[in-house]
Amino acid sequence: MLTSSDRYLWLRFRSDENIEYSGFKAVYQYIPRPTSAVHQPEMDMCRIDVGGMEGWVNRSDIESHRVAHSMTYGVPLDCMWVIRVKEGWKIQLAFLKFKLEKPNDCDSNFVDVFSTQTDLPNRLKNFCGSIADSVTSTTNVLHVRFFGEAKAINSTFEALYTAFRDKAAGQGCDSDEFDCEDNTCISRSMRCNGRINCRFRWDEDECISKHVSILNSEHIIIILVIFTLILSGMCFAFVFNCTRKLIRDHRIMKEHMRQSRENRLDDVGRGPCPELHTVSMTMLADNASGSFGADKIRASMTRYSSEPPRCRDTTPDEEEPGHGCYVPTLAGDPGAARCPRPCTTARTESGTTGCTQAHTTRSPPSARARASRCATTSARRAAASSIRATSSPLHRRPRGTPCACLWP
């Protein structure tokens, strides 16, 4: 005696051809369902009917309350999809996603594909592993059954079905059909729809997608964003480094210019009598005679302004005895005169300025050094004589008058 757990009971009989007996006979009767508190509520049969030229068979098609009932009471989830297309056409079923919670455990979860009947002789495929291949029906009806126990309730799959028509030999497809180049025809509306409906993908070859642009693809957008960020970072780093280098080089150049000016000022400060180098161009021009032209005055001024005044030794024939020196002065000075070397000026009590001897710690230059530093050309002597003759600021100071003499 067998008692079913629900209002359905399946009985299958199968025999062989060896021995024949009288068979069997069974009697069944209906009994009331138990009404105890622990008894689970009754659920109707899970059946999903689909059709059309193409469509989807998805695990998500099962209602959520059925899944909740299975998880609450621990009963298996058993659903059947019935795919039906127009007469004379067949069905191709392609699994795009297949992932069972308990792979290779055919008692816990599996997917069966049947033709017109749902008995085992009409079962076309049984999938309980990790891969499911395509299935082609022999008629216009196809059944897909999913069975999963409560422990495998999270199993999932997704399949695309396509209605096709076998093309007779020597015949072609109709005007509203597309030839898949494998002796089958599909609806022309499925041409370039982004889904593979032909067995060898001929319906999607040489197609430009009309639904998804390359710039709207999520992966392309992510790649473009990352590339833009990297390029922006590189540009910012390049500009920052260049700006920092320019600022550093500018500071270095300013420091070099400052040091150069300081060194030049130090050199000028160490030079002899810088205030005596300047010759008044106006006074030279006013005192110049006709025989001593402006060109000679400029040349003489240039020489005296570019070169510091040098003391030179004179011979008794050329100058008065005493080995004095010429000292150029500005206009208004008492004049230039020779004085003993070295000397400094000193003011007496009566207010007159006298020339006194001053001994320095530095020894006088040698004769060779004086000859090389105080040698002058005949042109310079002639220019000096002409300037003195015209009462220029460069004149001889009478002997015995105060003078200022500076030696390097």
Side-chain angles (χ1 to χ4, degrees), residues 391-408:
S391 300
S392 66
L394 298 177
H395 60 275
R396 184 188 304 275
R397 185 184 298 273
R399 186 174 183 181
T401 58
C403 69
C405 185
L406 181 61
W407 292 87

Side-chain angles (χ1 to χ4, degrees), residues 167 173 177-186 198 202:
K167 184 175 60 174
C173 298
E177 297 175 349
F178 176 78
D179 191 352
C180 289
E181 303 294 339
D182 58 352
N183 293 328
T184 61
C185 300
I186 62 174
C198 288
W202 293 114

Side-chain angles (χ1 to χ4, degrees), residues 310-312 314 323-327 336-341 404-405 407:
R310 301 288 184 180
C311 292
R312 61 181 178 84
T314 58
H323 299 284
C325 64
Y326 288 109
V327 181
R338 58 171 55 253
C339 64
R341 181 179 56 202
C405 185
W407 292 87

Side-chain angles (χ1 to χ4, degrees), residues 59 67 71 77 99-102 109 146 148-157:
R59 157 69 174 76
V67 179
M71 296 179 64
L77 185 63
K99 183 179 180 181
L100 299 181
E101 185 73 15
K102 300 293 182 180
N109 52 359
F146 169 69
E149 294 183 351
K151 61 181 180 180
I153 201 69
N154 292 326
S155 299
T156 181
F157 64 92

Side-chain angles (χ1 to χ4, degrees), residues 111-147:
V111 175
D112 282 340
V113 181
F114 301 90
S115 182
T116 55
Q117 301 295 328
T118 58
D119 54 356
L120 291 180
N122 291 307
R123 187 171 68 178
L124 302 178
K125 290 287 183 177
N126 172 257
F127 304 112
C128 59
S130 57
I131 298 175
D133 52 4
S134 300
V135 181
T136 302
S137 68
T138 57
T139 62
N140 65 325
V141 179
L142 196 66
H143 294 78
V144 180
R145 179 192 179 194
F146 169 69
F147 177 86

Side-chain angles (χ1 to χ4, degrees), residues 139-382:
T139 62
N140 65 325
V141 179
L142 196 66
H143 294 78
V144 180
R145 179 192 179 194
F146 169 69
F147 177 86
E149 294 183 351
K151 61 181 180 180
I153 201 69
N154 292 326
S155 299
T156 181
F157 64 92
E158 183 181 88
L160 172 67
Y161 69 87
T162 303
F164 68 93
R165 181 178 67 85
D166 289 331
K167 184 175 60 174
Q171 295 182 358
C173 298
D174 295 339
S175 58
D176 59 343
E177 297 175 349
F178 176 78
D179 191 352
C180 289
E181 303 294 339
D182 58 352
N183 293 328
T184 61
C185 300
I186 62 174
S187 175
R188 184 167 292 275
S189 62
M190 293 183 286
R191 164 72 171 160
C192 297
N193 61 354
R195 295 181 292 271
I196 301 174
N197 300 106
C198 288
R199 189 179 307 171
F200 300 112
R201 303 175 55 100
W202 293 114
D203 59 321
E204 297 298 324
D205 287 349
E206 300 179 358
C207 289
I208 300 176
S209 179
K210 298 179 292 185
H211 303 280
V212 180
S213 176
I214 186 171
L215 295 178
N216 294 330
S217 176
E218 295 182 359
H219 296 86
I220 298 299
I221 293 175
I222 293 174
I223 292 174
L224 290 177
V225 170
I226 295 175
F227 177 76
T228 303
L229 292 177
I230 294 175
L231 184 61
S232 300
M234 293 176 62
C235 293
F236 176 77
F238 176 76
V239 172
F240 177 77
N241 292 332
C242 290
T243 305
R244 185 174 61 177
K245 188 176 185 304
L246 289 175
I247 294 175
R248 184 182 59 188
D249 293 346
H250 181 67
R251 290 177 179 176
I252 292 174
M253 291 177 62
K254 291 181 64 176
E255 182 66 20
H256 287 174
M257 292 174 64
R258 187 185 63 81
Q259 292 180 359
S260 176
R261 286 195 298 268
E262 291 180 355
N263 294 337
R264 193 161 35 209
L265 291 175
D266 292 342
D267 294 341
V268 172
R270 287 193 295 267
C273 301
E275 68 277 1
L276 300 178
H277 296 176
T278 305
V279 178
S280 176
M281 180 64 184
T282 304
M283 297 180 65
L284 288 176
D286 294 341
N287 297 327
S289 62
S291 60
F292 192 70
D295 296 337
K296 294 183 179 181
I297 294 175
R298 284 194 210 93
S300 177
M301 183 195 68
T302 303
R303 288 197 302 272
Y304 279 95
S305 63
S306 60
E307 297 181 2
R310 301 288 184 180
C311 292
R312 61 181 178 84
D313 293 336
T314 58
T315 61
D317 297 336
E318 296 176 70
E319 306 294 343
E320 297 178 2
H323 299 284
C325 64
Y326 288 109
V327 181
T329 60
L330 297 175
D333 287 348
R338 58 171 55 253
C339 64
R341 181 179 56 202
C343 67
T344 57
T345 59
R347 185 174 296 276
T348 62
E349 295 180 357
S350 59
T352 60
T353 302
C355 182
T356 60
Q357 300 289 333
H359 298 281
T360 60
T361 58
R362 184 173 179 179
S363 60
S366 62
R368 184 175 181 181
R370 289 197 306 271
S372 61
R373 294 166 59 182
C374 297
T376 57
T377 62
S378 58
R380 186 168 180 178
R381 293 193 189 97

